[in-house]
């Protein structure tokens, strides 16, 4: 099979894995993919919240318009055995996934002086090593099966901006974008495209729920070039374009879905 058109080797509805799918951006991505016909394996370590999200969002899918579906999998991406087991279960129930969205991540807002090495390592373990674990498992699967696929890593504007009290998070996301480029180089000849999407300030997520409020939210909105913060649904649309293969000649890139924030002085609003 021609590697460049490897995805044509899949049968039936497309299958996608979305990590960190219980809330916020991950939840929005999972729903949007399902609405467009994907069988979505929603992964998260918060089993109860994930189950509720999948039940609520599954009810929103119009079966007359889309054959898509949502399925919850309790997975801790910090553990090799859980990733391997969940991937095997996805294959058994739905077939080989064509798309993997690495969205799971955490933030700790502390200064460098207040962040010890253990906590710094914990953030990297989730945001970078966890993503690497899922990326590697998916790539090995596709290489062995002789098919291509799409890996979409969720980064952040903090990967390229210096901001207060986010050194561990920023370092993890900068490393993630480097991993994206290196993986794209390695797997491109095998029909595996690896890109990243970097949201800016996005309302309605665990990371912004208590910070993008009131006067502070208004200050941030004024400094974003398009004049407002983003929504999880807008990030999901960007991911959908990549997942559907609508940008076939792009790999190793980071799409900044941030209203122009990464190129502005929005951080001044947080001083």
């Amino acid at each position: 099979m021609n590697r460049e058109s490897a995805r044509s080797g899949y049968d039936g509805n497309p299958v996608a894995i979305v990590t960190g799918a219980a809330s916020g951006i991950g939840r929005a991505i999972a729903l949007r993919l399902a609405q467009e016909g994907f069988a979505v394996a929603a992964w998260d370590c918060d089993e109860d919240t994930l189950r509720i999200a999948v039940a609520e969002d599954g009810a929103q899918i119009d079966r007359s318009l889309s054959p898509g579906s949502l399925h919850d999998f309790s997975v801790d991406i910090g553990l090799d055995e859980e990733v391997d087991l969940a991937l095997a279960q996805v294959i058994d129930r739905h077939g080989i996934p064509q798309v993997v969205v690495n969205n799971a991540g955490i933030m700790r807002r502390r200064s460098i002086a207040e962040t010890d090495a253990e906590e710094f390592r914990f953030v990297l373990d989730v945001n970078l090593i966890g993503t690497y674990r899922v990326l590697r498992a998916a790539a090995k699967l596709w290489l062995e099966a002789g098919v291509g696929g799409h890996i979409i890593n969720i980064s952040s504007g903090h990967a390229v901006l210096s901001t207060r009290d986010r050194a561990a998070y920023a370092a993890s996301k900068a490393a993630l974008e480097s991993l994206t480029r290196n993986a794209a180089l390695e797997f491109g000849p095998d029909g595996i495209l690896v890109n990243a999407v970097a949201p800016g300030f996005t309302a309605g997520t665990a990371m912004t729920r208590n910070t993008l409020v009131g006067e502070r939210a208004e200050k941030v909105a004024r400094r974003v070039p398009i004049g407002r913060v983003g929504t999880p649904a807008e990030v999901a649309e960007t991911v959908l374009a990549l997942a559907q293969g609508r940008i076939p000649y792009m790999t190793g890139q980071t799409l900044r879905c941030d209203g122009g924030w990464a190129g502005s002085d929005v951080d001044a609003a947080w001083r």
Side-chain angles (χ1 to χ4, degrees), residues 44-77:
D44 207 289
C45 61
D46 187 344
E47 184 175 359
D48 293 337
T49 303
L50 177 64
R51 186 181 299 112
I52 294 170
V54 165
E56 292 178 349
D57 292 348
Q60 297 184 42
I61 301 171
D62 187 336
R63 303 299 178 184
S64 67
L65 299 176
S66 171
S69 54
L70 288 164
H71 310 272
D72 56 290
F73 291 79
S74 178
V75 187
D76 182 350
I77 64 168

Side-chain angles (χ1 to χ4, degrees), residues 182-206:
N182 280 271
L185 175 65
E186 284 196 31
F187 300 131
D190 299 291
I192 300 170
L193 303 184
V194 188
N195 290 289
V197 172
F201 287 104
T202 307
T205 75

Side-chain angles (χ1 to χ4, degrees), residues 127-197:
N127 296 357
L128 179 62
I129 305 303
T131 292
Y132 176 81
R133 186 174 283 113
V134 178
L135 179 155
R136 180 174 179 269
K140 287 180 64 179
L141 169 66
W142 292 331
L143 292 173
E144 292 168 2
V147 296
H150 290 276
I151 295 173
I152 304 162
N153 298 323
I154 304 302
S155 183
S156 167
H158 291 292
V160 295
L161 292 174
S162 300
T163 54
R164 287 179 171 81
D165 300 337
R166 297 175 184 85
Y169 181 77
S172 71
K173 293 301 186 179
L176 179 61
E177 293 189 10
S178 179
L179 173 62
T180 298
R181 293 189 295 271
N182 280 271
L185 175 65
E186 284 196 31
F187 300 131
D190 299 291
I192 300 170
L193 303 184
V194 188
N195 290 289
V197 172

Side-chain angles (χ1 to χ4, degrees), residues 103-124:
N103 169 76
I106 59 170
M107 179 191 285
R108 295 289 186 267
R109 291 194 63 196
R110 291 184 178 85
S111 69
I112 293 174
E114 296 170 329
T115 304
D116 61 26
E118 182 177 351
E119 185 170 28
F120 190 92
R121 187 181 298 111
F122 177 66
V123 174
L124 264 65

Side-chain angles (χ1 to χ4, degrees), residues 1-16:
M1 178 167 52
N2 187 323
R3 291 284 191 169
E4 188 171 345
S5 58
R7 292 189 69 216
S8 64
Y10 292 102
D11 296 321
N13 294 337
V15 179

